Amino acid sequence: MKKQLLTLVFLISTEAIFGQQLSLLDLETAFLRNNLQLIAQKYQIGQAEALIRQERLWPNPSLTVDNVNLWANSTFENMEPLIGSFGAKQQFGAELEQLIETAGKRKKRVVLRELESKANQLEFDAILRELKLDLRSTYYSLLRIKQEEVQLLRVLQLFERLHAQYKVQAEKQHISQVNYYRVHTELIGIQREVLDLTAERLEKMKHLRVLTALPALTIADLQLDNMELPALSASSEELESWSLEAHPKLMQLRNEIDLAQQQVRVEVANRIPDLSMVMNYERGGNVMRNFVGIGVKLDIPVFNRNQGNITAARLHLTEQDQRLRAEEHEVTEALSLHMRELERYGKQLQEWKGQEDGRQVQVLENYSKYLQEQQVTLLEFIDFSQAYLEAQKAYLDLQEKYLNAFETLQYLIGKDLK
């Protein structure tokens, strides 16, 4: 019944989502709920927490029963029976042993497990941010593809009409075959561009379906309208401070340093031998018929004082510290590079402002009329249509690069600025 209820809830929520076009925020919600890679990583966090609970447990005591005689010879001395008449000639020994760890080893290992659990959580956060960056980049690519398809199909329709007209005119020998072949060749080139763009769209949609775990998702379900480009409001000093503080890789490396420091503490504690408290009981094995004794067992650290493991742990700590410093330098340089890219893309987009699709579409339609009225030549029309497509493609590519640069900046500083 519970399983059927969960299935019904999933179907209702899926129907509710697909009842309207999905925005980027809707896709991110589905991604957070359904992404299989994130779900798998959450199980690793649960495993690490279980290991913390396990590490807190004391080792079990051990019980040994030995020296049990199976028969008695003539030299045996009779003793008081154990149960009823049984045990008058029974000899045996028992030993109870409990390991007691010294130097706080168990507590130190618990802290080590807690840092490992934190490492799993940081790994989850890093994967989450990387996949979210991938999701947004894929969405922006689909936005560019859809807008580019609109431009291509607009020009394709013009050339299909022109091709049909020139084919008839060429058959009637009203125009030269050369002009017809020029239109035909240009039409084939545009059709090939449409096919290439369609293949790219299908590939991006496949990747988006994998990220969101929505197998029925199509591009028609996406809200791919013109979006306002986000502006960078923070200063370079603020961005650098945030990146050094919250970049996923840097946070992981700082936790690795904490792990290495704790490992050094564990190895230093391992120099001190542990104690084993022992309690013995022996029946009929010595001058005392029922002997009870206690004792302590420990290793004598004469040769092995864990020197090698301590040195290795300290070297690993130094290694992690150097890795952190190198990564901080790399993050700072990457941040500076993407800030310059974002500024450059923003300036170029400002120069394009007011020259986008509207006016150029009108000019394209006017050129088509001028061609019909023979006010421009076929070569001039083809040249302008090619320039129109190249300009639109350049603008859409620039817009996608700006959005991706902004998202990369957000990834580098470890948080969203919007």
Side-chain angles (χ1 to χ4, degrees):
M1 181 67 182
K2 184 177 179 181
K3 186 180 294 185
Q4 293 174 347
L5 181 60
L6 290 174
T7 304
L8 179 61
V9 170
F10 175 77
L11 292 174
I12 293 174
S13 62
T14 304
E15 183 178 355
I17 290 177
F18 283 91
Q20 58 184 2
Q21 286 189 318
L22 304 181
S23 65
L24 179 57
L25 183 60
D26 296 327
L27 291 173
E28 289 182 2
T29 301
F31 156 74
L32 292 173
R33 184 178 62 245
N34 302 330
N35 186 268
L36 298 178
Q37 191 172 348
L38 292 180
I39 294 173
Q41 187 65 28
K42 287 180 181 178
Y43 283 107
Q44 290 193 9
I45 296 174
Q47 293 173 35
E49 291 173 349
L51 291 176
I52 294 174
R53 294 193 297 271
Q54 178 64 36
E55 203 64 61
R56 289 196 175 101
L57 303 177
W58 277 65
N60 291 324
S62 62
L63 175 65
T64 304
V65 178
D66 58 4
N67 296 328
V68 179
N69 65 309
L70 301 178
W71 60 85
N73 55 31
S74 59
T75 63
F76 197 89
E77 298 180 4
N78 288 330
M79 295 179 291
E80 294 180 0
L82 291 173
I83 302 174
S85 60
F86 173 76
K89 297 182 178 181
Q90 189 66 51
Q91 177 181 336
F92 65 90
E95 180 181 274
L96 184 65
E97 181 176 337
Q98 174 65 56
L99 176 66
I100 299 176
E101 295 183 290
T102 60
K105 294 186 183 72
R106 186 169 56 87
K107 291 182 179 179
K108 289 180 173 64
R109 289 199 305 273
V110 169
V111 174
L112 194 65
R113 291 296 189 186
E114 289 173 346
L115 289 171
E116 289 174 352
S117 177
K118 183 180 178 181
N120 278 278
Q121 181 62 54
L122 290 173
E123 178 69 17
F124 174 82
D125 294 340
I127 291 174
L128 173 62
R129 294 206 66 84
E130 288 173 6
L131 291 178
K132 188 178 288 188
L133 176 63
D134 191 12
L135 174 73
R136 292 175 178 179
S137 177
T138 303
Y139 178 83
Y140 296 145
S141 293
L142 288 167
L143 175 63
R144 185 258 307 165
I145 289 170
K146 183 178 179 181
Q147 293 174 336
E148 195 173 335
E149 279 182 330
V150 170
Q151 311 301 333
L152 267 176
L153 292 176
R154 180 179 290 133
V155 176
L156 178 64
Q157 290 174 356
L158 287 176
F159 272 89
E160 284 176 341
R161 291 198 301 267
L162 192 62
H163 180 267
Q165 294 171 2
Y166 271 57
K167 183 178 181 181
V168 173
Q169 295 294 325
E171 290 173 352
K172 295 180 179 180
Q173 297 184 348
H174 293 166
I175 60 172
S176 66
Q177 289 289 333
V178 173
N179 285 342
Y180 168 70
Y181 286 133
R182 283 174 179 164
V183 174
H184 182 72
T185 302
E186 189 66 21
L187 177 62
I188 291 175
I190 296 173
Q191 290 173 338
R192 187 191 63 187
E193 290 184 42
V194 172
L195 289 175
D196 292 342
L197 204 58
T198 301
E200 185 182 1
R201 170 169 52 81
L202 293 175
E203 182 65 27
K204 295 294 182 182
M205 282 303 306
K206 181 194 77 173
H207 189 54
L208 189 62
R209 285 192 290 268
V210 170
L211 288 173
T212 58
L214 298 175
L217 188 65
T218 66
I219 196 168
D221 300 316
L222 302 181
Q223 183 179 331
L224 296 171
D225 300 330
N226 289 331
M227 59 184 302
E228 183 178 351
L229 298 180
L232 189 62
S233 56
S235 65
S236 58
E237 291 79 10
E238 289 177 318
L239 292 174
E240 183 174 350
S241 174
W242 290 338
S243 66
L244 293 176
E245 178 185 354
H247 186 276
K249 184 65 174 177
L250 295 181
M251 293 180 68
Q252 288 178 292
L253 284 173
R254 290 191 190 99
N255 189 67
E256 287 296 323
I257 290 177
D258 292 339
L259 268 166
Q261 290 174 339
Q262 188 62 24
Q263 187 64 47
V264 171
R265 297 186 186 101
V266 169
E267 297 300 342
V268 170
N270 285 337
R271 293 185 307 179
I272 303 173
D274 296 327
L275 300 177
S276 290
M277 301 299 296
V278 181
M279 178 177 286
N280 293 298
Y281 169 76
E282 191 171 14
R283 173 180 168 83
N286 209 321
V287 294
M288 296 176 63
R289 291 185 175 182
N290 293 288
F291 172 78
V292 177
I294 61 172
V296 177
K297 182 168 63 176
L298 75 159
D299 294 333
I300 301 176
V302 176
F303 306 109
N304 180 7
R305 293 191 294 274
N306 210 35
Q307 304 96 317
N309 289 334
I310 293 173
T311 302
R314 286 172 174 165
L315 290 174
H316 181 65
L317 174 60
T318 304
E319 175 194 354
Q320 294 302 320
D321 184 63
Q322 294 299 319
R323 287 181 183 275
L324 175 62
R325 295 170 65 180
E327 189 67 26
E328 285 176 344
H329 179 70
E330 186 174 341
V331 168
T332 302
E333 289 299 320
L335 181 70
S336 177
L337 172 64
H338 285 90
M339 285 178 61
R340 290 195 297 269
E341 284 184 346
L342 192 68
E343 182 180 3
R344 187 170 66 252
Y345 295 151
K347 288 181 178 179
Q348 291 177 348
L349 286 170
Q350 284 296 323
E351 294 174 0
W352 279 74
K353 195 172 183 180
Q355 303 178 20
E356 303 95 301
D357 187 44
R359 293 173 56 188
Q360 295 192 22
V361 170
Q362 186 61 46
V363 174
L364 180 65
E365 293 176 352
N366 291 340
Y367 252 71
S368 178
K369 295 177 183 177
Y370 297 156
L371 179 64
Q372 300 296 328
E373 298 170 358
Q374 297 185 350
Q375 296 182 28
V376 296
T377 65
L378 177 62
L379 288 178
E380 288 175 329
F381 177 76
I382 292 175
D383 182 66
F384 177 77
S385 63
Q386 290 175 345
Y388 168 78
L389 288 176
E390 290 173 1
Q392 293 300 312
K393 186 177 186 303
Y395 175 78
L396 295 174
D397 285 343
L398 185 61
Q399 179 179 265
E400 181 184 5
K401 287 179 179 178
Y402 180 90
L403 291 169
N404 285 331
F406 187 85
E407 293 298 338
T408 304
L409 271 179
Q410 293 190 131
Y411 170 76
L412 289 172
I413 65 175
K415 64 178 181 179
D416 290 346
L417 293 171
K418 301 176 190 176

